Structure formats: C-alpha cells, structure tokens
Amino acid sequence: MIQKKLPPAAWTARLELEGEHLSLAGQRQQVAASGMLTLVQEDHPLGYRIRLVFNPAEETTQIKSCYLEIPWKSDETDWLLSNGFQSWTESHWRHPQDHLPQLRRIAQPLMGYYGDYHIPWLVRKKGHLHSWSWTEWRSNDAAPVLLASLNETTAFTCFQWKQAQNCLQVESDCRGWEIAEPVVLLDFLVLEGSIKEIYDAWAAALELPTLRAQPARGWTSWYQHYTNISEQVITDNLQAFQGREQPLDYFQIDDGYQTAVGDWLSIKDSFPRGMKAMADDIRATGAVPGLWLAPAVADKRSQLLKDHPEWIAKDAKGRPLKAGYNPMWGGWFYALDTQHPGWQAHFKEVFRTVVQDWAYGLIKLDFLYAACIFPTPEKTRAQLMHELLVNLRQWAGEAHLLGCGTPLASGFGLFDYCRIGADIHLQWEHRLLCWFRHRERVSTLAALRSVLGRWPLAGRMWRNDPDVYLLREDNLQLKPQEKSLVHRLNTLLGELLFTSDNAASYGAFQHQEETWQAQWWGTEIVGVEPLSSTEFLVQTAKGDFRIYLERETGWMSVI
C-alpha cells in the first residue's frame, strides 16, 4: 500500500544554492557547476528509505534551501502527528485541514524562542501542518504510515503536510549553512505497518546503543516547592518515603538550590551542609540522588554573566540573546554559547564536581533548546544541539541523564530518560498561556496530549518521562478525576514515574491510586488511537481504556 500512497518514484528534489539551484524530477542525479545532487532510494521490508546527498564542487557553498516533495492527497478524517520542536512543545494528532497556531505577538518577546515560532519559512495557515524529526499518517481502515529521520545530527528534518497544495514537503533545516564537503542533507524512512513494527524498524535503523536505564520511580522537589527549597524541605520529604512498600529509585533536587541559574557551584544558605551531604543522605536510603542543571542558559542575576559576557550567545542582530523570561529567576535569562571553549571547560568542571565530588547519579538537563535557537554559517541547529549533548554525555560519566526542554531526536542514544511533554500545571490548563497560543506552556492538558502522541519512543530511544503525577490535597487545584487520569496515564505510558507529593500526607484516595499503580506499572502497551480531537483509545495487554481530554477537564474510563 505504501508504494501507492507515497510511491518512491514520485519524489522530487530541490536544492537552492547561492547563485544556482539544482532539481531532480524523474532522474536520480544532477551535475551542475556548483556540484552533484543525488537521490538514493533503498527498499525496506515495510517500505523504503530515501536519502538526498550533495557533493559540492567549490570550496565553500552556502545553502539557501533544500527539500524533497511528493504529491499527497488526504481525507479530512485522516490523522497526522505533529511532533513539536522540543520536549515541551504540544505534540498530538491533527486533521489535514487544521493548522498550528502562531504565538501571539504580545508574547513573542517573552517566549518566542521556546519553540519554532521564530523560524520564518514555516507556514502556519489552515491546511498546513509540520512535524519535526518524524510524523505519522493514519487513515481509516489502513495501517499507520511512519516517516522518520535517520540523520538529525547534520540538520533537523521538518515534515510539512500541505493539504492546501496536495503535497508533502520534507525540508532540511540547513538554510544559510556553508559547506565544503559531501553531505547527506536528508535521510528518512517511509514505513507502513503496526505501531510496533514501524517504530521497532525505525529504532533498529538508527542503530542506537542498548538502553542502560530501567523503568524507575522517584520524587522531585519542583511541583510542590518550586524554587523555595531547602535542606529541611528535602529531608522532610525523604523521611516521608521511608518504609513504604514501593521504594524510590531516584530522589531529585530540582531548581532552587543554586544562588542563580548559571551559578551551579554557588549554593544557597538554605543548604548549610552543602550538596554532597544531601546526596549522601539520599543514597543512604537506597535511592540514587538526582540534581537539576540548565547548562545552556544563565539568568541576569548570575555571576557567570558578569564574569564571562563573552559566553553569551548573540541574536541575529549581534545582541545578547534572551532565551526567555522567567519571573522565578528574576526576569530575563540568556542563551549561552555552548561552542565557546571557555564555557566548555567551565561546564566540564561543573559536571566533575556534581558527579564525582558530590556523587549525584541522575542529572536532569533542562532548557537545552537554548543551545540551538539560531544556526550559524558553520553549524546548523542540529549540529549545535548534537555537539552539546555529546559533550554532556561524555562529561557525565556513568551518571544517568534526564533530558528536558530539548529537541527530542538530538537525544536519541544519549539520554537515559527524556521528557516527552510539557510541565503539568497545578490546574487543568493555564488559561493565559493558552490564550497566548503558547505550545510550550505549563499545562496538564497539553502535557497529556503529548504523552499520548509520543509514547512509542518508550523503551526504544530511551525511557519516557511523562512528567510527574500529583495526588495530594493541598496546593493543587486538579479535580480527583484529573489527578487519577494523570497518574494512571503516566503509569501506563511512562517509564519514569515521578511525583512531588509528600507521602506523609496520603490518605485513602492516594493509597487506592498506589494500589492501581502496583497492578498496572509495566503493562505492555499495544497502541494508542485518536478517536476524536478529545477522545483516545489506549490498548494494553491487560485491558483497554478510553481517555477524554476536554478543554475544561479530563478523565479515564475502562472499556
């Protein structure tokens, strides 16, 4: 069927260079003054693989744009998976006639770099959808189709479903890149089969290392205390989990221990014994201590920015690059130039201290998107991201890495765990951020949508982190049915099951949920099907569930 839906021979290619463009339509190679463009196709048991290779003739050639295109017709009832730019970006199935919203202008100075809002060539009109690194096409009574990149280290791949033009365009995010050597600009699979078959085939083709980490439970300080943490807060919560039937694998200290974002070795007075003592206390309980870092950013209050202004990344106009605004960090925070030798030497020492001297075994790496906001003539966004993550993986030694706020495919084979959705909110939805049309917003609804869309990565690329569940009664505005939904969906589709609750406050409702967790944790997932924009079917080896995600609330029912 895939040979008829998206026939390999129907692909055309276009590469625009400075002063010349090359195109392929029917033929598989073109030789021009600027170089040779070659389209390579290989059969696969579930479909085929396609690669676009360019061999420049000159010493340096700048790419203006590069894409493959194929005619495509859809039905309005079809579903397309739009994978967002990074972990937090809302990612779920949409119909071909839908569109992805642009961030409102009023919010762009504050959060315009969190996702892909600033990338000018993306079309956001009705009947245009885009998806980074991979996408799914689901038609009635047909097996799912997966298009998935095999090379996100050279340039990110953007799959653009254009119903308005009846075509699928696959663009390499390499505009402005100057090259002097042969390069594979696009390399992806087109597969059809069951969800298990197509995602297993993608993972096999990526040739990733064997997963080191196992599914795990844990606690994090963030979703109860946020930046208001102290040694006493950590100790109280640590003691509350002692002697329980379900021991914790990780106990993670999140943002708030440091004097400023960027000053990772400068510890607040609220931790008088220091961070090594906290790690020792955690490890004494049998759990692995975890610590939060945001390597690619620093807030305006930090000593790091004062001492090393040369480490600040620059925007398109050469100004210090503001990566976002966070009131809990005193306002603006800035992107750092992770290619700078000084930054690299500094952060290598940060890792040595955290992993070796303090003995933290899980490092949560957050706000990583800031390393690749703007490409340079020498490096694409994908190269900037990949090189950072390779360095962090090397510097971390044997510690496990939990990625967050990151382009997902960049972390394949490097992260042990990775966030696959947004931060949940203490309410069902953050109404103001939703009105802003902010796809990376703090939102329980948005987080669950992404978990449903991205669950097949579990156990293949890494261990999925769906974000925390919260069951407590205080400092939480979720309804009981919403608490249960988050907890149970995370239990089914997640592999890192964290909470921020103090277990000493648990009563009958919470113990009932924990019993459910013990019964269902680790159950084999057969598939997730979108039934409507608000209703989903989760199929497991032990039974099926319907998930309802309405604008105002959500719940789960047993079939």
Side-chain angles (χ1 to χ4, degrees):
M1 283 293 292
I2 192 60
Q3 305 292 337
K4 295 182 178 180
K5 291 181 177 178
L6 298 171
W11 287 96
T12 60
R14 182 178 177 87
L15 173 62
E16 184 180 355
L17 304 170
E18 193 167 14
E20 186 177 25
H21 75 267
L22 291 79
S23 60
L24 299 173
Q27 79 273 33
R28 288 293 169 259
Q29 191 172 85
Q30 182 184 2
V31 179
S34 57
M36 180 171 62
L37 184 65
T38 306
L39 187 64
V40 181
Q41 294 178 348
E42 301 173 9
D43 288 337
H44 185 282
L46 299 178
Y48 57 91
R49 177 178 181 174
I50 189 164
R51 284 180 290 158
L52 187 64
V53 183
F54 180 61
N55 190 344
E58 302 175 3
E59 290 186 3
T60 301
T61 300
Q62 186 179 75
I63 297 174
K64 295 298 184 181
S65 68
C66 172
Y67 62 84
L68 287 167
E69 188 172 281
I70 191 170
W72 166 70
K73 290 186 178 181
S74 63
D75 190 274
E76 290 191 350
T77 61
D78 289 352
W79 292 104
L80 303 171
L81 178 67
S82 292
N83 180 58
F85 185 76
Q86 54 117 321
S87 303
W88 307 332
T89 313
E90 192 171 16
S91 302
H92 61 99
W93 296 281
R94 297 175 184 267
H95 291 304
Q97 63 272 22
D98 295 342
H99 74 285
L100 295 173
Q102 175 62 289
L103 186 68
R104 290 188 187 274
R105 185 174 299 179
I106 190 175
Q108 288 179 11
L110 303 176
M111 53 197 73
Y113 294 139
Y114 280 32
D116 57 23
Y117 310 107
H118 64 290
I119 299 178
W121 47 266
L122 291 172
V123 180
R124 300 181 188 274
K125 298 178 182 179
K126 183 178 176 62
H128 293 77
L129 297 173
H130 65 266
S131 185
W132 293 96
S133 305
W134 79 96
T135 186
E136 291 179 19
W137 175 22
R138 300 195 184 195
S139 302
N140 290 333
D141 303 320
V145 173
L146 175 70
L147 294 95
S149 175
L150 297 176
N151 181 14
E152 295 296 88
T153 61
T154 300
F156 291 138
T157 304
C158 188
F159 298 92
Q160 300 176 81
W161 301 97
K162 298 186 175 184
Q163 186 207 44
Q165 283 82 41
N166 292 318
C167 73
L168 166 62
Q169 192 175 95
V170 184
E171 173 143 355
S172 174
D173 179 32
C174 61
R175 298 191 182 202
W177 186 30
E178 297 178 352
I179 60 172
E181 298 178 352
V183 60
V184 178
L185 294 170
L186 288 165
D187 185 0
F188 58 91
L189 293 169
V190 182
L191 307 176
E192 185 175 34
S194 70
I195 289 296
K196 182 180 187 329
E197 288 172 337
I198 58 181
Y199 277 90
D200 281 351
W202 181 26
L206 286 168
E207 299 181 341
L208 302 175
T210 302
L211 299 184
R212 300 189 312 156
Q214 297 300 313
R217 297 180 175 92
W219 181 90
T220 175
S221 57
W222 183 249
Y223 294 93
Q224 171 73 293
H225 304 284
Y226 295 94
T227 56
N228 299 314
I229 57 174
S230 65
E231 181 175 316
Q232 190 61 53
V233 165
I234 303 303
T235 300
D236 289 347
N237 281 274
L238 189 62
Q239 291 174 350
F241 278 95
Q242 301 313 299
R244 295 173 60 78
E245 293 182 5
Q246 297 178 0
L248 297 182
D249 300 294
Y250 294 110
F251 205 87
Q252 185 234 320
I253 301 173
D254 211 277
D255 182 15
Y257 65 91
Q258 76 287 352
T259 54
V261 171
D263 297 341
W264 307 112
L265 305 183
S266 176
I267 309 305
K268 286 181 178 178
D269 293 340
S270 55
F271 289 86
R273 294 188 300 141
M275 302 313 292
K276 183 181 187 307
M278 299 309 304
D280 291 343
D281 289 352
I282 293 168
R283 201 173 291 276
T285 69
V288 174
L291 195 66
W292 179 88
L293 298 172
V297 297
D299 76 47
K300 68 177 185 179
R301 307 165 301 175
S302 65
Q303 192 63 38
L304 181 138
L305 292 188
K306 296 181 178 68
D307 293 344
H308 297 286
E310 72 277 13
W311 294 356
I312 305 175
K314 304 300 189 293
D315 66 14
K317 296 182 179 180
R319 300 169 302 191
L321 177 53
K322 294 176 178 177
Y325 186 92
N326 190 332
M328 286 187 284
W329 296 352
W332 295 109
F333 60 95
Y334 292 81
L336 299 177
D337 178 6
T338 58
Q339 297 276 308
H340 195 288
W343 176 92
Q344 293 180 355
H346 167 74
F347 221 85
K348 184 177 181 180
E349 176 61 20
V350 170
F351 258 100
R352 189 200 64 77
T353 301
V354 170
V355 174
Q356 297 182 24
D357 293 353
W358 296 351
Y360 283 86
L362 173 72
I363 311 300
K364 179 179 177 181
L365 300 169
D366 211 347
F367 288 81
L368 294 171
Y369 74 89
C372 67
I373 293 172
F374 286 113
T376 69
E378 296 78 26
K379 303 282 185 183
T380 65
R381 269 181 273 263
Q383 290 172 322
L384 292 170
M385 198 72 244
H386 177 69
E387 291 176 15
L388 168 63
L389 297 188
V390 167
N391 283 335
L392 296 178
R393 176 68 274 170
Q394 179 182 356
W395 300 336
E398 294 303 310
H400 284 164
L401 295 184
L402 166 57
C404 190
T406 179
L408 293 191
S410 298
F412 292 173
L414 297 172
F415 293 137
D416 300 289
Y417 303 94
C418 190
R419 176 76 71 76
I420 58 168
D423 283 20
I424 73 163
H425 190 32
L426 300 185
Q427 302 177 30
W428 182 246
E429 179 62 282
H430 195 302
R431 295 185 181 277
L432 177 60
L433 295 182
C434 183
W435 182 82
F436 282 159
R437 302 195 293 250
H438 182 30
R439 295 180 66 208
E440 292 77 28
R441 67 188 181 277
V442 175
S443 166
T444 306
L445 171 60
L448 295 180
R449 283 174 172 168
S450 295
V451 169
L452 288 165
R454 289 165 163 172
W455 77 269
L457 303 180
R460 295 182 172 96
M461 314 308 181
W462 48 48
R463 302 296 181 184
N464 277 354
D465 171 18
D467 205 18
V468 302
Y469 67 88
L470 303 173
L471 300 174
R472 62 181 184 258
E473 303 298 334
D474 65 306
N475 190 29
L476 187 64
Q477 289 79 53
L478 292 175
K479 301 171 184 176
Q481 68 188 34
E482 296 165 352
K483 297 179 192 177
S484 181
L485 169 60
V486 174
H487 172 242
R488 296 188 179 194
L489 197 59
N490 286 6
T491 298
L492 291 173
L493 303 182
E495 296 173 296
L496 190 63
L497 201 55
F498 269 29
T499 186
S500 290
D501 294 344
N502 186 312
S505 68
Y506 277 9
F509 167 74
Q510 290 80 12
H511 294 317
Q512 175 185 332
E513 288 296 313
E514 288 185 317
T515 299
W516 194 96
Q517 180 188 129
Q519 294 171 347
W520 287 90
W521 173 246
T523 298
E524 179 186 355
I525 304 301
V526 177
V528 175
E529 296 286 341
L531 304 177
S532 73
S533 61
T534 61
E535 186 178 351
F536 305 85
L537 173 65
V538 176
Q539 300 167 298
T540 84
K542 292 167 55 176
D544 299 343
F545 301 88
R546 283 187 186 266
I547 309 299
Y548 300 88
L549 302 180
E550 304 282 354
R551 181 180 295 272
E552 300 298 330
T553 189
W555 68 95
M556 171 190 285
S557 66
V558 179
I559 297 178

